[in-house]
Amino acid sequence: MKEVKILDKTFRLYKNEEEIATSISTIANSINSDYEGKSPLFLGVLNGCFLFAADLMKKVNLSCEISFVKVASYKGMKSTGEVNQLIGLDRSLEGRDVIIVEDIVDTGNTIETIVDLLKKAGCNSIKIATFLLKPEAYNKDIPVDYVAMEIPNAFVVGYGLDYDGFGRNLNELFVLKD
């Protein structure tokens, strides 16, 4: 079994590159179908979404744009419960179809904050695409429209997700070893 050590924790392989690629292709196909004839704006949530956003965009065959916001709600391995917008939007969203691109949706606090912001900005529609969803932890009523993978409420790293800033560069997904 493949393992990695990041700082003081050991993680075991959870999802390999092939599983990740297949799941991203599936949601890209759904987005391509749902947005045919439209020009959506993909809004990536940094830092974690960068690998997912890049791979997703390679498979989207629509006329589209991508922009990024940076928010934070984690310190170490736990959510702080507060979402802080660190970098804002740099363009008008009035009348736009926006797809939020997230690395992981767990409690939903970040999504709730971003959706509220986008509603105030006058978006035509707002959808959410996430690499990972933790259904056990998600406690919001906002629908998550495109989910690459559902996972249990466990701590994972790799493929953009980190442990105190480390591990984002791993091509596969790893879960904290018991």
Side-chain angles (χ1 to χ4, degrees):
M1 178 171 290
K2 187 173 180 180
E3 294 182 352
V4 295
K5 184 165 175 74
I6 301 172
L7 300 176
D8 60 338
K9 306 279 185 222
T10 301
F11 297 84
R12 65 175 170 77
L13 182 64
Y14 185 65
K15 299 289 182 182
N16 65 36
E17 287 182 81
E18 185 177 316
E19 291 172 290
I20 291 169
T22 299
S23 66
I24 293 170
S25 291
T26 300
I27 66 169
N29 290 339
S30 294
I31 291 170
N32 287 330
S33 175
D34 293 349
Y35 285 85
E36 187 174 349
K38 297 181 181 178
S39 297
L41 170 67
F42 289 82
L43 186 64
V45 182
L46 296 172
N47 286 338
C49 84
F50 75 102
L51 287 176
F52 173 55
D55 287 346
L56 178 64
M57 296 305 292
K58 290 177 196 173
K59 297 175 188 298
V60 169
N61 58 19
L62 304 165
S63 169
C64 62
E65 295 178 85
I66 187 164
S67 188
F68 295 91
V69 292
K70 185 171 180 177
V71 295
S73 64
Y74 268 80
K75 178 119 180 120
M77 292 175 47
K78 298 203 187 273
S79 175
T80 64
E82 294 179 27
V83 176
N84 304 305
Q85 184 176 353
L86 305 176
I87 299 173
L89 299 169
D90 63 353
R91 64 189 66 207
S92 171
L93 300 178
E94 185 77 31
R96 294 296 308 264
D97 294 309
V98 176
I99 302 171
I100 300 167
V101 181
E102 265 280 27
D103 58 346
I104 188 166
V105 174
D106 47 30
T107 62
N109 292 339
T110 302
I111 286 296
E112 183 176 62
T113 299
I114 294 171
V115 167
D116 287 347
L117 173 74
L118 296 179
K119 284 180 179 176
K120 290 175 188 167
C123 294
N124 180 52
S125 69
I126 304 165
K127 299 271 184 161
I128 300 164
T130 187
F131 173 49
L132 301 174
L133 173 66
K134 292 182 177 180
E136 296 168 27
Y138 190 60
N139 58 26
K140 305 297 178 195
D141 293 327
I142 300 165
V144 181
D145 307 282
Y146 306 102
V147 178
M149 296 181 181
E150 288 189 3
I151 64 168
N153 196 12
F155 191 79
V156 292
V157 297
Y159 199 74
L161 291 98
D162 72 302
Y163 170 45
D164 274 349
F166 291 88
R168 291 189 194 278
N169 59 313
L170 299 168
N171 291 332
E172 297 169 306
L173 192 64
F174 293 82
V175 65
L176 185 63
K177 188 175 175 185
D178 296 331

